[in-house]
């Protein structure tokens, strides 16, 4: 699985090709909430009190496979959030790994939402685990094989270089947390340091970290996580990081609107991928599909939700 | 495994009891470097190119078990760094889980060095995974079962509350990254925001997050990671967070000295636990043990290294 990196495009070019192929810059977040997974899937497996983590993980994998099959005609990017897999221990991580492999077999780009960060020697292990490979005696193995991951910048440049170097070696990507979508994200990220806010300083660094890794389409393999819930900040960040692809959470369940999303894109209509998780996966639990479909028609709800979201984002880009 | 939390002491009290029992505030970092694990351990397992990740993970677990048996008479705290387990995929996480369980059966306190962080709903999943439990239908399972974990504060208070609340519920602990030990840690952490440095502001918050969770001995279940490599900052941080237990990396391989360590403690001789990983686990590769012992006597090297470190830190406390 290793060794063919030289012939691969820069990650940002792969991403853009994928976006054009399905005419969609939507990212479906694969965040399994066990209690929201339909019973028809759970009934395929025998629940066991002794092996509850294995049972839950098998259910989650089956749900993900059905979701991937359902959404693959409409979107090319998925983002499993590893926390929801760690919740089921090493069995959960087995389901995470199998989910990535299944999505890749279906031709999708997989962003592992892992938000990893550590001192350099440890960051190197994380990087090789998630977007690189590992040597065991004479074997070379790919532990998780995501195409890109999210990383936390708090520890500084030397903590990020192993991720950047590993991404470059394997033609993978990283998305640096710049301005997150949670309500308290401003507490530290918006602090004024000299004449700039902390997240603006980190945005400048993100631009600098990525400047040597710009692909043919003008975008870098070093992207940024920018929450859609803060439209004023997005406009400024778009200028500070013109070549960074933005991974934008917050659409749907977290409350960001179509208008907020608009600020994430460059004039070329590129530069952002928009994530939605719960509002797609569990569309059958939210309006207007809750009223229209029951859980037995969850697939219709999810399909309509993804088609609607593609259309909404498309409208932003045409405006 | 859940349900007995009410009768348990505050995490900081558990930690102090453990320190007094072995008269050691040393934390042994269980950071498996496969190529440094002695061949005598590797030879117990059949290497397979097809199952290289399983093979490596079984070797790592066996090494950890032998290390834990070796060090348990001298120290009561271990800290597996999850990155070095993720490197071997879900099999590695199996080894991580089994390592925690073995250490706990031996009566040790286990700090999972996971440096997790995310938006609140995701942080809750991480917290339950690492220091809490998960409900699957009518079963309650403990996915990893560490006694404490490290967390990254960049996302703000709401991202940390799920960790704090889960810690309190299960009488576990967290250590917030305040000032890390890597060379570039100052890049963002030392930025001046108003009249204070960013890491000082985060230290003030860490003190505030922990103030309702102070145990009988006067220390909080909310601790701080403070790198031993920055002695001037440590003195200031000790004053800002008088009730926080410091988890101090950087001793040994990362270059901090016995004198640097001294600033981490309060006048009561408490308040800090000092981590060493490579300099203990692979003592046979570093002076003076490299010259004295070959790899075949790695256990003697590790045992002497841990005894020497206990003595060095003890000297600091007596001075």
């Amino acid at each position: 699985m290793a060794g063919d990196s030289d012939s691969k495009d820069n990650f940002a070019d792969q991403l853009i090709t994928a976006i054009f192929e399905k005419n969609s810059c939507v990212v479906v977040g694969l965040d399994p909430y066990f209690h929201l997974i339909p019973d028809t899937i759970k009934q395929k497996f025998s629940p066991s009190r002794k092996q509850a983590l294995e049972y839950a993980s098998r259910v989650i994998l089956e749900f993900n496979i059905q979701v991937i099959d359902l959404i693959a005609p409409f979107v090319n990017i998925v983002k499993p959030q590893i926390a929801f897999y760690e919740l089921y221990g090493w069995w959960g991580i087995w389901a995470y790994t199998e989910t990535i492999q299944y999505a890749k077999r279906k031709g999708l780009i997989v962003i592992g939402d892992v938000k990893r960060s550590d001192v350099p020697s440890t960051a190197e292990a994380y990087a090789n685990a998630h977007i690189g490979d590992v040597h065991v005696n004479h074997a070379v193995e790919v532990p998780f094989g995501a195409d890109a991951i999210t990383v936390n910048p708090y520890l500084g440049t030397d903590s990020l270089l192993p991720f950047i170097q590993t991404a470059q070696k394997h033609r993978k990507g990283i998305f640096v947390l710049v301005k997150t979508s949670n309500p308290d994200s401003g507490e530290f990220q918006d602090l004024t340091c000299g004449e700039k806010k902390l997240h603006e300083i980190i945005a400048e660094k993100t631009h600098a970290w990525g400047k040597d890794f710009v692909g043919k389409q003008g975008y870098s393999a070093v992207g940024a996580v920018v929450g859609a819930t803060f439209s004023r900040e997005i406009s400024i960040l778009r200028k500070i990081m013109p070549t960074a692809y933005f991974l934008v959470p917050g659409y749907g369940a977290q409350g960001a609107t179509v208008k907020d999303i608009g600020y994430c894109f460059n004039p070329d209509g590129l530069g952002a991928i928009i994530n939605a998780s719960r509002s797609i996966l569990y569309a059958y639990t939210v309006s207007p599909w809750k009223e229209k479909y029951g859980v037995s028609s969850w697939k219709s709800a999810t399909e309509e939700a993804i088609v609607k979201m593609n259309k909404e984002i498309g409208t932003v880009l045409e405006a």
Side-chain angles (χ1 to χ4, degrees), chain A residues 105-319:
Chain A
R105 285 200 297 276
K106 297 286 276 191
L108 305 185
I109 285 185
V110 181
I111 301 170
D113 197 351
V114 301
K115 297 189 174 64
R116 296 302 192 250
S117 164
D118 215 299
V119 299
S121 58
T122 307
E124 190 183 340
Y126 273 136
N128 280 320
H130 290 280
I131 53 172
D133 54 27
V134 59
H135 293 247
V136 179
N137 296 335
H138 299 293
V140 182
E141 293 278 337
V142 176
F144 294 121
D147 296 299
I149 54 169
T150 53
V151 295
N152 185 312
Y154 182 64
L155 273 66
T157 295
D158 63 354
S159 75
L160 287 168
L161 288 180
F163 292 106
I164 296 168
Q165 288 157 355
T166 304
Q168 180 58 8
K169 181 179 173 190
H170 298 277
R171 301 291 187 272
K172 302 290 179 92
I174 63 168
F175 293 91
V176 179
L177 298 185
V178 172
K179 174 70 182 164
T180 57
S181 61
N182 55 310
D184 284 355
S185 76
E187 186 175 7
F188 304 128
Q189 295 166 28
D190 291 358
L191 284 174
T192 302
C193 312
E195 294 180 349
K196 293 164 190 166
K197 289 183 176 176
L198 176 59
H199 73 258
E200 293 168 355
I201 294 170
I202 289 177
E204 287 174 0
K205 291 279 182 175
T206 299
H207 181 68
W209 292 323
K211 72 179 188 327
D212 292 336
F213 309 110
V214 174
K216 293 172 197 158
Q217 304 280 341
Y219 287 92
S220 174
V222 178
V225 174
V226 177
T229 34
F230 303 98
S231 53
R232 203 183 61 81
E233 285 82 354
I234 293 173
S235 308
I236 297 167
L237 292 173
R238 192 62 282 178
K239 291 194 184 85
I240 298 176
M241 301 180 283
T243 60
Y245 237 92
F246 286 8
L247 169 59
V248 183
Y251 190 78
Q254 290 183 56
T257 66
V258 174
K259 195 184 165 199
D260 295 327
I261 296 295
Y263 301 105
C264 301
F265 292 91
N266 276 321
D268 61 4
L270 295 171
I273 48 178
I274 316 298
N275 182 75
S277 304
R278 285 165 281 177
S279 59
I280 303 292
L281 264 61
Y282 316 110
Y284 79 89
T285 68
V286 294
S287 293
W289 298 286
K290 187 170 62 176
E291 294 77 15
K292 192 173 170 187
Y293 298 112
V295 62
S296 61
S297 301
W298 72 273
K299 287 190 175 184
S300 303
T302 289
E303 191 172 311
E304 280 191 25
I306 190 75
V307 169
K308 179 168 179 276
M309 185 169 166
N310 264 348
K311 199 174 168 187
E312 283 172 355
I313 312 278
T315 310
V316 171
L317 290 172
E318 285 158 18

